Amino acid sequence: MLIFRKPLPNVEHPEMPADVVIVGGGPAGMACALRLSQLIDDHNARHPDATLSKENIYVLEKAREAGQHCLSGALLDPRSMKELLPGFESEAPLDAVVHKDAVYFLTRTGHYRLPLTPPPLQDHGNYVISINRFVKWLAGKVEEAGITVFSGFAGSDLLYDGDRVAGVRTDDKGVDKQNKPKSNFEPGYDIKAKVVVLAEGARGSLTKQLILKFDLMKDRNPQTYGVGVKELWEVPSGRIEAGEVIYTMGYPLSTQEYGGAWIYGVKEDGAKATTVSLGFVTGLDYRDPRLDPQHVLQTFKQHPLISKLLAGGKMIRYGAKSLPYGGWWSMPPLGGDGWMIVGDSAGFLNSARLKGIHLAIKSGMLAAETAFEALVKSDASAATLGKLQRRVETSWIHDELWPVRNFHQGFEKGMVAGMFNTVLQDIFPGGLRDRLPSHPGYENLEPVAKLPADGGAEAHLLGPAKGDGKLTFDKLTDLYHSGTKHEEDQPAHLLIEDTNICNERCVKEFASPCQNFCPANVYEMVEDSTAPHGKRISLNPANCVHCKTCDIQDPYQIITWVPPEGGGGPNYDGM
């Protein structure tokens, strides 16, 4: 019997006062904290008789240490960092400056290099980084500035005072698999805050709560997503240069799916090896529920161009993360009574450029300016925090995202229509229409009865990858390289609203796609003669890499991802 993580009854939660609590210690959250510290320092220097304190400003990070759950390709456009920390280049962990880029279109066995790299994908002057190391460095800057980072603490619930967000409740620790307190039980804290900033990444659990409670997506396009599956490799020196960037499109996807790959030369290890960041992003709006994004990456690596690059190399790390593709029209309101939303939680990503780190950082900085105003005025109402919206709309974030506001919507009807829409966007900024509508990606999933039994054009992408242990890997082998660890004796943090739907309907209608879209083998259909179709849902929650794909792509929308006990999850060291 599956037991899910639920709030324990009759538990008294100790209270903790706060001025500002930032939920999520990624680029947006850390930038928000650091910028807020700078503003307070400047204010105190100019107003020694009316100083503000940093003692009650906190960053909550669910990982064991800052950066541990952060995953990206990753390329850094330095624009926002130059504003946040001028001269940051001299001390930040930057692996290489991009000096060479290319885009390839792949067929099953061949490849064609585009004669010119499209302007959105030209990366000269950007930096190849490990987002894990970069965020860890940023966290050090935040703590040096006098702001407390609480690692190992997840935000489990928002606190309300009427319609005002009044704080955050952190996770209870020491809860067993039966959702009962153990001998080492510690209740979570009720952090009563004047300002709550949600910087949880894509499909943030508290952000989802807030959006549902206040119907924030009314009159907006639904957010759409992709899932990036990444491996870090060491390959023989000379195959690719540090600072070389390659993008691919086409194979192994058909014209019906959206996605593509990246290959970044990260750094040289003397004359022996080069570290390579390699991954594939699959749009979570494909039609065949048997498609497996981890399998997509394994098939991609077997292409002659890629297998030649990786031959004789060694895979050293693995991970997966969802990312928001919806663009400008899919962003919720950014500020309200007691709250603000930043980074990927709000959808700050340029899908045409495949970049969002710089946008996340800038959104965090603008939220800091808004929170600072709220502290100075002692007013965290919607009138004050809602100004974040205007700050974003008058910043270069708007200048970058507005012309590509309809980019991803164009791919809803396939690759050909999407490329045509992309051309129109270049000629007429944003395309021929001010706003193209979109639909949640899971709505594109078709019942297996309507699809070819053998998979048709997608046959090579369906079901689990077997792997040869050298170039390609099965899901569990990849998972081992993610460093994922959770407290085993705890309830499942992947809440299934009604398991009967899994056992009676989904197994027949959609062939249980959770087994496929999850990149960590969390979901399994196990043999059970008592089940209606001979199989029942089973979970391996300790495998979870916190990518949120299940919450996004479930065709019935009955899966809700909530944080497990703080400190658990992947260890994306160097990713």
Side-chain angles (χ1 to χ4, degrees), residues 139-153:
K141 290 291 184 184
V142 168
E143 292 180 319
E144 287 173 12
I147 290 178
T148 303
V149 177
F150 286 114
S151 58
F153 286 85

Side-chain angles (χ1 to χ4, degrees), residues 508-523:
K508 182 179 180 180
E509 295 172 6
F510 292 101
S512 304
C514 56
Q515 300 178 104
N516 304 315
F517 58 58
C518 173
N521 209 51
V522 170
Y523 298 87

Side-chain angles (χ1 to χ4, degrees), residues 24-97:
M30 291 301 179
C32 181
L34 190 54
R35 180 61 182 146
L36 185 54
S37 172
Q38 294 170 346
L39 292 167
I40 290 173
D41 285 343
D42 179 66
H43 170 86
N44 291 347
R46 291 185 292 108
H47 304 283
D49 55 338
T51 60
L52 297 173
S53 173
K54 304 179 192 176
E55 289 185 5
N56 289 337
I57 300 173
Y58 307 120
V59 178
L60 299 183
E61 170 50 51
K62 62 183 173 67
R64 289 184 291 274
E65 63 177 42
Q68 204 165 42
H69 292 176
C70 291
L71 178 73
S72 180
L75 291 185
L76 174 68
D77 179 331
R79 183 173 186 176
S80 50
M81 281 303 302
K82 289 179 177 180
E83 297 177 5
L84 179 62
L85 287 173
F88 82 101
E89 301 93 336
S90 64
E91 54 178 315
L94 307 174
D95 290 314
V97 180

Side-chain angles (χ1 to χ4, degrees), residues 206 236 327 382 385 426 452 518:
L206 297 187
L385 299 186
D426 287 341
C518 173

Side-chain angles (χ1 to χ4, degrees), residues 271-440:
K272 295 182 179 180
T274 303
T275 304
V276 176
S277 167
L278 172 144
F280 205 104
V281 178
T282 301
L284 293 175
D285 46 14
Y286 51 81
R287 68 186 186 113
D288 196 321
R290 299 165 295 180
L291 188 146
D292 187 317
Q294 189 266 352
H295 193 165
V296 172
L297 174 62
Q298 306 313 310
T299 304
F300 166 73
K301 291 186 296 178
Q302 296 176 68
H303 188 277
L305 179 69
I306 313 306
S307 61
K308 182 179 179 181
L309 168 69
L310 300 178
K314 178 183 178 182
M315 190 268 290
I316 55 176
R317 302 297 289 170
Y318 170 79
K321 184 74 80 174
S322 60
L323 59 156
Y325 267 154
W328 189 261
W329 294 123
S330 295
M331 289 185 186
L334 301 177
D337 201 355
W339 58 270
M340 291 183 283
I341 310 174
V342 297
D344 279 2
S345 288
F348 285 103
L349 183 135
N350 184 335
S351 56
R353 295 185 66 199
L354 304 177
K355 289 175 187 61
I357 298 172
H358 66 300
L359 297 168
I361 290 170
K362 181 63 174 177
S363 71
M365 294 168 64
L366 295 176
E369 295 173 13
T370 311
F372 173 74
E373 180 181 342
L375 294 179
V376 170
K377 294 167 57 178
S378 296
D379 176 17
S381 67
T384 299
L385 299 186
K387 291 182 181 179
L388 175 59
Q389 190 80 36
R390 183 61 180 164
R391 284 186 165 96
V392 168
E393 290 173 353
T394 55
S395 74
W396 55 258
I397 289 179
H398 177 271
D399 297 340
E400 178 171 332
L401 292 184
W402 182 252
V404 294
R405 62 193 179 277
N406 292 317
F407 178 81
H408 190 67
Q409 294 94 301
F411 287 89
E412 280 205 346
K413 295 183 179 179
M415 180 64 70
V416 175
M419 296 306 296
F420 180 70
N421 180 65
T422 300
V423 172
L424 287 179
Q425 283 199 142
D426 287 341
I427 300 172
F428 310 99
L432 295 177
R433 294 174 61 183
D434 184 50
R435 174 178 174 178
L436 290 177
S438 67
H439 305 87

